[in-house]
Amino acid sequence: MMLQKHDLHHEFPEYSEEIHHLKMTDNHFAKLFKEYHEINNVVLKIEQCVENTSDDFLEQQKIKRLSLKDALFGIIKKEQASA
């Protein structure tokens, strides 16, 4: 099975400049960005069968990742609108 990349630069390639700018200037965005990528790495390891866990735990991590992605995208759009 081919695994999809879910890092923000693959999810939103058209916003790579905004993502970089926000990581450097917005502490809240940087914190959420770090948390998103930590959870994304956990999910990736589980999906690659590097780590074993329950299906419930995997689903919880995916839900957290999606929630963080939504929050990050909201910040990106707000930044873009104010630029």
Side-chain angles (χ1 to χ4, degrees), residues 38-55:
E38 287 171 355
I39 291 173
N40 190 49
N41 287 335
V42 168
V43 170
L44 186 59
K45 286 180 183 178
I46 294 168
E47 290 178 338
Q48 292 175 333
C49 299
V50 174
E51 292 186 10
N52 246 350
T53 188
S54 70
D55 290 341

Side-chain angles (χ1 to χ4, degrees), residues 5 7 14 29 52 54-55 65 73 80 82:
K5 293 188 176 202
D7 62 276
E14 66 276 19
F29 183 89
N52 246 350
S54 70
D55 290 341
R65 179 178 67 183
F73 186 68
Q80 186 185 37
S82 68

Side-chain angles (χ1 to χ4, degrees), residues 4-75:
Q4 292 183 358
K5 293 188 176 202
H6 288 279
D7 62 276
L8 285 184
H9 291 287
H10 281 91
E11 292 287 323
F12 307 121
E14 66 276 19
Y15 299 113
S16 62
E17 288 181 28
E18 288 87 349
I19 292 169
H20 177 73
H21 174 74
L22 286 164
K23 281 191 323 186
M24 298 297 137
T25 61
D26 185 321
N27 289 335
H28 179 65
F29 183 89
K31 179 180 176 257
L32 293 178
F33 182 89
K34 181 179 182 223
E35 187 177 348
Y36 175 87
H37 282 281
E38 287 171 355
I39 291 173
N40 190 49
N41 287 335
V42 168
V43 170
L44 186 59
K45 286 180 183 178
I46 294 168
E47 290 178 338
Q48 292 175 333
C49 299
V50 174
E51 292 186 10
N52 246 350
T53 188
S54 70
D55 290 341
D56 286 341
F57 179 78
L58 176 58
E59 288 306 311
Q60 289 172 359
Q61 297 307 300
K62 287 182 175 182
I63 289 168
K64 286 181 188 177
R65 179 178 67 183
L66 182 59
S67 176
L68 286 165
K69 184 167 68 170
D70 287 345
L72 289 162
F73 186 68
I75 296 169

